[in-house]
Amino acid sequence: MEFIVISLVKAAIVAAVLMTTLAYLQWVERKVIAHIQLRMGPSRVGPHGLLQPLADVIKLITKEDLIPPHVNKFFYLLAPFLAVTMALLSISVIPFGSEVELFGYKTWMQMTDLNVGVLFVLAVSSMGVYGIALAGWASNNKYALLGGLRSSAQMISYELPMSLAIAAPLLLANTLSLREIVQSQGDHLFAWSIFKLPAPQLISFVIFLIAGFAETNRVPFDLPEAENELVAGFHTEYSSMKFAAFFMAEYANMVTVSCMTSILFLGGWQPLFPVSLGSNFVAPALFALGGSLCLYHGLHPARRKDRYTLPVFAAIFFGIALALLAPPVARVVMPLFWFAAKAGFLLFCFIWVRGTLPRFRYDQLMGFAWKFLFPVAVLNLLVTSLLVAVF
Amino acid sequence: MDVILFLAFAAIAVVCAVNVVVQTHPISSALSLIGVMGSLAVLYLLLGAEFIAMAQVIVYAGAIMVLFVFVIMLLNAGAESRRGRSLTAQLLGIPGFFALLVLLSYTVLRLFPDAAHVKFGGFTGGSAKDVGKLLFTEYLLPFELTSVLILIAIVGAVVLARKELE
């Protein structure tokens, strides 16, 4: 009974946090892209456009839900459902932090720990292809079909280097459980598998990240939705919430790839440097820095209302910084902070790349996967196994 | 709980399997086949073979069936017509199927009359470690032979698919 209640509570927390992250990831993406391009980005709905995701959701729900007459109805409706389910499923095995004790209950900051966790994530992500392929096919539209075909070909091709890149750090960790993979890495930069001796996994980290970009259909691998050739690719015929489902699936996949990268290569919830050297003070220092900036600008206001709003934010930031210094709070929050910092940085890289790189051509995309990424991944796996076997 | 899950997924597997044959459109058949493989994976999981279950999903449902679906979409295969089937097959098919079923179950019961009943979760040798150990010790020769066979198939496919030079 207790187990069921705890699991339900954890599931509710994870679902709420994930949904909020997905909504605000879109806001962050629009803002970051805008600033890369020297624009303002969303700024009308709420302060700094912070209520934009809410407005978008209302817009998408109230839009007319159009089903074109020429589609294969069953598969047309099944496709977005499949895509979003498979995208959200893999978060259930991601470990966010270490074991905590709250109100007398000991529990892990993870919904469930499978002893084949890595394979589970791979399996679920490989099932996600069907959502996109079916959407393209069932729409009965040549652009959608081309988009769906491109996407499935791309995902099959990039799954191989991705799996090989995952295999190399698994040799170091000697387990398939995501929790134990994190535990096998230490609490400083050179104990993470990306730099860990005897076989630093820098190459497979880069391969995994590139394949992750391709698996999530992000720039520079966003050929399935190349708007100058294919209108909107596989989701051309979708509107309203069904369109939003594909959008959500893409962002959820981005979150999964970021979480998996930080677990496999960047030590999951482990800090950048040991607690004995003061890694617990990084988060309070950041908040204190934010607070001082707010206070400074509040004392030298650029606009009249800044004199009142910014000191309030400064007080909030200083309060959070002080709360994080308390040992019981730090024990719970610090693992979460480090995990979120790593995943957040990787998510920022996703957006950064989108603002920087142009799109591949289709033959370049396939050639890159099969003729470059795949051999390098095989070579890396061989060298890693040799090093692990010798040392 | 285990028995309920077993019955539910066994039923799904059988229904999907029948659906593979009954559907006229190749895409519907292919997706039903994915349903069969997915429920088989759950049955493996119930028996404690978690590695096999995940391999089933990754390899069969996630890789092989994607290629099937991909080819069907690429060829844009339409629905088959139901006409032109032989009368003998239609008349004898279902009785023949049940006869085969009875024969199979009779043989199994005859050959293993005192086999232990399946206990869900009683088997613990299904982890990746156990499977890997068996593959590289007891079943090394069949394992290597299979990989050579697959390699030959790949080379053959490349030779067949190669464009004629000049």
Side-chain angles (χ1 to χ4, degrees):
Chain A
M1 191 62 208
E2 194 178 274
F3 170 75
I4 294 175
V5 171
I6 291 182
S7 302
L8 277 178
V9 169
K10 279 204 278 193
I13 294 173
V14 170
V17 172
L18 181 66
M19 288 301 160
T20 320
T21 313
L22 294 183
Y24 273 91
L25 195 55
Q26 190 229 2
W27 176 83
V28 171
E29 169 146 29
R30 289 173 72 174
K31 270 291 188 195
V32 171
I33 290 286
H35 283 285
I36 287 176
Q37 299 166 344
L38 296 179
R39 295 184 286 116
M40 291 288 290
S43 56
R44 298 282 160 156
V45 195
H48 295 274
L50 267 172
L51 296 177
Q52 187 70 41
L54 213 63
D56 282 342
V57 168
I58 293 171
K59 182 195 79 174
L60 284 166
I61 289 176
T62 51
K63 248 185 168 178
E64 185 187 355
D65 195 2
L66 198 76
I67 300 181
H70 52 74
V71 299
N72 184 330
K73 221 173 203 166
F74 177 71
F75 292 125
Y76 177 82
L77 295 177
L78 179 70
F81 177 73
L82 256 182
V84 85
T85 313
M86 292 307 165
L88 295 179
L89 203 56
S90 39
I91 205 78
S92 58
V93 294
I94 302 284
F96 303 101
S98 47
E99 199 173 22
V100 287
E101 198 175 343
L102 279 181
F103 312 117
Y105 295 114
K106 268 191 155 183
T107 182
W108 281 85
M109 283 192 260
Q110 180 185 23
M111 273 164 71
T112 177
D113 187 54
L114 300 182
N115 54 4
V116 284
V118 177
L119 295 178
F120 177 79
V121 175
L122 275 181
V124 168
S125 74
S126 73
M127 295 300 284
V129 187
Y130 289 114
I132 291 171
L134 273 184
W137 178 78
S139 296
N140 206 358
N141 166 324
K142 62 184 165 207
Y143 297 121
L145 181 65
L146 278 173
L149 284 178
R150 275 187 180 186
S151 148
S152 26
Q154 175 179 329
M155 284 167 113
I156 298 169
S157 308
Y158 278 87
E159 220 153 68
L160 279 166
M162 190 179 211
S163 317
L164 285 171
I166 289 180
L170 290 184
L171 284 174
L172 291 176
N174 213 1
T175 171
L176 287 173
S177 141
L178 291 173
R179 183 189 293 170
E180 286 166 24
I181 288 173
V182 175
Q183 283 171 334
S184 76
Q185 304 173 55
D187 60 349
H188 58 94
L189 183 63
F190 293 96
W192 298 351
S193 31
I194 183 171
F195 293 124
K196 194 176 180 181
L197 291 174
Q201 291 305 317
L202 194 60
I203 297 173
S204 58
F205 168 74
V206 175
I207 294 172
F208 184 83
L209 216 53
I210 295 174
F213 276 80
E215 287 279 306
T216 49
N217 292 330
R218 294 280 303 182
V219 176
F221 305 105
D222 64 336
L223 284 119
E225 40 198 295
E227 63 275 354
N228 43 4
E229 310 161 17
L230 293 179
V231 191
F234 61 88
H235 57 64
T236 306
E237 300 284 4
Y238 285 86
S239 59
S240 184
M241 277 315 276
K242 294 203 283 294
F243 164 74
F246 284 116
F247 216 71
M248 207 162 99
E250 182 182 321
Y251 280 94
N253 282 328
M254 268 165 72
V255 172
T256 308
V257 169
S258 306
C259 290
M260 284 298 286
T261 317
S262 35
I263 289 165
L264 286 168
F265 299 100
L266 303 179
W269 67 78
Q270 313 265 19
L272 185 63
F273 47 92
V275 178
S276 52
L277 293 177
S279 70
N280 273 358
F281 295 107
V282 173
L286 282 177
F287 276 105
L289 184 71
S292 341
L293 271 176
C294 283
L295 200 61
Y296 175 80
H297 285 289
L299 294 177
H300 304 86
R303 295 168 297 179
R304 181 180 282 175
K305 63 180 176 186
D306 285 354
R307 194 175 305 154
Y308 311 106
T309 53
L310 286 180
V312 173
F313 276 100
I316 293 173
F317 279 155
F318 282 126
I320 294 174
L322 276 180
L324 287 179
L325 283 176
V329 179
R331 210 172 302 131
V332 177
V333 175
M334 278 311 142
L336 286 178
F337 167 76
W338 285 110
F339 187 81
K342 290 165 192 172
F345 173 72
L346 290 166
L347 284 172
F348 177 76
C349 287
F350 268 92
I351 301 168
W352 191 5
V353 166
R354 183 181 159 192
T356 314
L357 291 182
R359 186 178 289 142
F360 270 75
R361 215 172 55 214
Y362 197 66
D363 57 320
Q364 290 173 333
L365 172 98
M366 283 297 167
F368 183 65
W370 289 103
K371 293 177 187 159
F372 179 74
L373 225 48
F374 183 63
V376 173
V378 171
L379 212 63
N380 178 61
L381 185 61
L382 284 177
V383 171
T384 308
S385 32
L386 204 68
L387 286 172
V388 170
V390 171
F391 294 103
Chain B
M1 187 68 187
D2 287 329
V3 177
I4 297 170
L5 279 175
F6 170 76
L7 287 176
F9 281 96
I12 293 174
V14 172
V15 168
C16 285
V18 172
N19 207 28
V20 174
V21 188
V22 172
Q23 288 292 333
T24 51
H25 204 290
I27 289 269
S28 316
S29 298
L31 286 175
S32 311
L33 198 51
I34 297 165
V36 177
M37 284 155 179
S39 21
L40 270 185
V42 178
L43 295 187
Y44 287 139
L45 211 55
L46 280 174
L47 291 170
E50 61 260 13
F51 179 75
I52 305 289
M54 288 304 141
Q56 166 90 4
V57 176
I58 294 175
V59 176
Y60 284 96
I64 293 179
M65 286 317 291
V66 169
L67 283 180
F68 271 47
V69 171
F70 188 75
V71 170
I72 293 171
M73 285 181 183
L74 206 61
L75 300 178
N76 206 5
E80 295 170 359
S81 67
R82 281 198 177 277
R83 286 173 297 137
R85 296 187 181 178
S86 84
L87 195 67
T88 355
Q90 283 181 21
L91 283 179
L92 292 180
I94 292 177
F97 166 71
F98 279 110
L100 185 70
L101 206 66
V102 168
L103 198 68
L104 265 178
S105 36
Y106 176 74
T107 325
V108 169
L109 286 178
R110 222 13 227 290
L111 283 178
F112 310 101
D114 42 25
H117 284 284
V118 173
K119 261 195 243 133
F120 291 112
F123 178 67
T124 50
S127 68
K129 200 174 189 174
D130 297 317
V131 173
K133 263 189 186 148
L134 277 181
L135 271 186
F136 285 100
T137 53
E138 208 174 328
Y139 300 104
L140 185 62
L141 186 66
F143 178 65
E144 292 297 332
L145 279 180
T146 318
S147 32
V148 172
L149 193 67
I150 293 173
L151 186 67
I152 294 171
I154 294 174
V155 173
V158 169
V159 169
L160 286 178
R162 193 183 51 177
K163 283 186 193 131
E164 288 294 327
L165 292 175
E166 93 194 79

